[in-house]
Each structure stands twice: as C-alpha cells, then as structure tokens.
Amino acid sequence: MPSEQKAITVRRARTSDVPSVRRLVDTYAQNRILLDKANVTLYEDIQEFWVAERDEDAAVIGCGALHVMWEDLAEVRTLAVDPSFKGAGVGHQVLGKLLQTARWLGVRKVFCLTFEVDFFMKHGFVEIGEAPVDTDVYSE
C-alpha cells in the first residue's frame, strides 16, 4: 500500500476533470451511495473539488469536495474512489487534503452525510444524533 500511495497525487480539480468526476459520481449514484449531480453543478462547484490522480498516467481515480457552509462549518461532499483502487489509501489521501483545506480556511467543524460510516469514523469523525444542516437537506 505505501508504494501505491506514493504513486498518487492529490491536487485541486480543474474544469477538464469534470468528465472523470462525473464517471466516479455515476459509479456510486447508480447504487444510491452518492447523490447524483448535474454536469452544470459539477462545473459550478469544481473549485471545491480535489482529485487524486495516478502519477504514471494522470488518470483521475478519486475525488472529493469541501463545501463551506458557515464561518466554522463545512461539509465533505462527493468523496468517491474508483472501485479498482478501494483499499489503496486513495480516499484517505483525498479526505486528508479536504481536512487540511478546512483547517487552512479556519473551519473548525466538518461533517459528512454518508452511508460509509466506518470509513469516516476511522478518520476521526463521530456519529451525531442531530442533523448539522436543515431538515430539507438532511432528508435528501
């Protein structure tokens, strides 16, 4: 695993990455693990995204976004890893970059609405009983 992690770069997403992000989102949206997003939304929100790419061929194999909601509150969104790279630390590296970005911005609280509870708990997140967002967003 360490050699695979060294072969991956996590960088800010560019508009040219949207087709790759779309592919990753589609992989999980079809199973209702991620919310589907329109292409226009991906382009509008691209500045919130980071992508993981393989150094050998620059293929995008992971993505994630940090959406700031308030002065000290942000949400991790659209964290997805190419299924053939699950378990290789890609999600960990992307999440680490998102949390580093939150710290740099001065955001103290980060949450995620997810079905992947174990993954996030391994990274210091805790389940909470109440919704950190309004009930319309939570129900979606």
Side-chain angles (χ1 to χ4, degrees):
M1 185 162 24
S3 62
E4 287 185 52
Q5 286 183 353
K6 289 179 186 171
I8 295 168
T9 299
V10 179
R11 61 164 174 78
R12 281 279 190 193
R14 300 182 284 261
T15 56
S16 60
D17 295 317
V18 168
S20 296
V21 171
R22 162 95 275 142
R23 177 184 49 80
L24 291 167
V25 169
D26 287 348
T27 299
Y28 293 96
Q30 67 189 4
N31 297 324
R32 300 185 57 86
I33 294 171
L34 279 181
L35 294 175
D36 195 10
K37 295 183 183 290
N39 279 345
V40 68
T41 302
L42 292 174
Y43 282 108
E44 289 173 346
D45 296 343
I46 199 65
Q47 72 278 2
E48 297 180 351
F49 276 83
W50 290 80
V51 295
E53 67 180 11
R54 262 190 327 223
D55 290 345
E56 66 189 57
D57 59 5
V60 173
I61 57 171
C63 67
L66 182 73
H67 179 74
V68 175
M69 301 186 80
W70 202 249
E71 179 182 358
D72 65 346
L73 182 67
E75 178 183 8
V76 170
R77 294 182 172 176
T78 321
L79 184 61
V81 174
D82 183 308
S84 61
F85 286 88
K86 275 188 130 180
V90 176
H92 170 76
Q93 288 183 303
V94 173
L95 181 58
K97 188 59 82 170
L98 297 174
L99 296 176
Q100 179 184 12
T101 302
R103 283 190 296 275
W104 183 82
L105 292 169
V107 173
R108 295 180 299 125
K109 294 180 262 179
V110 179
F111 73 97
C112 182
L113 302 176
T114 185
F115 293 110
E116 301 293 335
V117 175
D118 291 341
F119 172 82
F120 283 93
M121 288 182 79
K122 287 177 187 173
H123 293 88
F125 285 70
V126 294
E127 277 191 83
I128 58 174
E130 72 281 351
V133 296
D134 73 38
T135 52
D136 291 338
V137 173
Y138 185 78
S139 66
E140 185 179 324

